[in-house]
Amino acid sequence: MVDYEIFVAGLPELRNYAAPRIGHVISFLDPDYEADAHFETLAGIERSEFRFHDLIEPGDATILPERDAIETLLTLGDALHERTPAAVLVHCHAGISRSTAAAAILMAQYNPGRETEVCERLVGIRPQAWPNSRMIRFADELLERDGALMAAVETIYRRAAADRPDLVA
């Protein structure tokens, strides 16, 4: 899918990762989150950070993922594709929604027509995946996949909803 290993994690799991195993970290954090001890093991590793809430619809005091953030992620994906780090760690607070959406986007970026495989691989990496649909929709448009990426992600939702109905809300 990509020429580097990709890991997905939540904040409490970050202590399990460090250089040289990880060549780049992509963080998805709430806008008001203050960095803490979770990042100690990642010191010195190149890191990209995105700040928005894990939401798909507007609400009071929320910052949603926007198209420009996904454009930036795709630009980062181009750079990672060119330099091929050993591994990339993508994380958000729980490692379920924003990070899994980003991992799917990075894997889909250079694999047109393989969206279903991308989602199968994603579930293999992170079984509890529930990718942020707003991020996926923007990527689907930007990558000109005509709904194929969104349709593949919807299979993850259906499977996860059967196993974990609490995620649907």
Side-chain angles (χ1 to χ4, degrees), residues 77-149:
D78 289 336
L80 294 170
H81 181 75
E82 289 297 317
R83 74 168 191 242
T84 318
V88 172
L89 171 62
V90 185
H91 81 86
C92 59
H93 289 264
I96 294 173
S97 184
R98 290 171 286 186
S99 57
T100 61
I105 291 164
L106 291 172
M107 289 188 288
Q109 186 171 6
Y110 284 95
N111 289 289
R114 297 177 64 195
E115 293 80 11
T116 299
E117 288 177 67
V118 162
C119 288
E120 289 169 2
R121 177 75 183 117
L122 177 64
V123 171
I125 294 169
R126 195 69 172 172
Q128 64 269 49
W130 188 278
N132 181 292
S133 62
R134 185 176 172 91
M135 293 172 66
I136 295 296
R137 278 192 180 88
F138 286 132
D140 196 288
E141 292 169 13
L142 291 164
L143 295 171
E144 299 178 349
R145 300 300 166 85
D146 297 321
L149 183 56

Side-chain angles (χ1 to χ4, degrees), residues 13 51 71 76 146:
E13 299 163 272
R51 293 230 178 214
E71 289 171 342
L76 176 58
D146 297 321

Side-chain angles (χ1 to χ4, degrees), residues 2 8-9 13 15 22 24 26 28 33 42 47 51 57 66-67 76 81 86 109 116 120 130 134 138 144 157 159 165:
V2 289
V8 177
E13 299 163 272
R15 67 180 179 278
I22 303 299
H24 195 95
I26 306 173
F28 290 88
Y33 180 79
L42 304 175
R47 187 166 158 247
R51 293 230 178 214
E57 295 178 5
E66 297 295 345
R67 184 182 178 98
L76 176 58
H81 181 75
Q109 186 171 6
T116 299
E120 289 169 2
W130 188 278
R134 185 176 172 91
F138 286 132
E144 299 178 349
Y157 299 151
R159 190 177 322 153

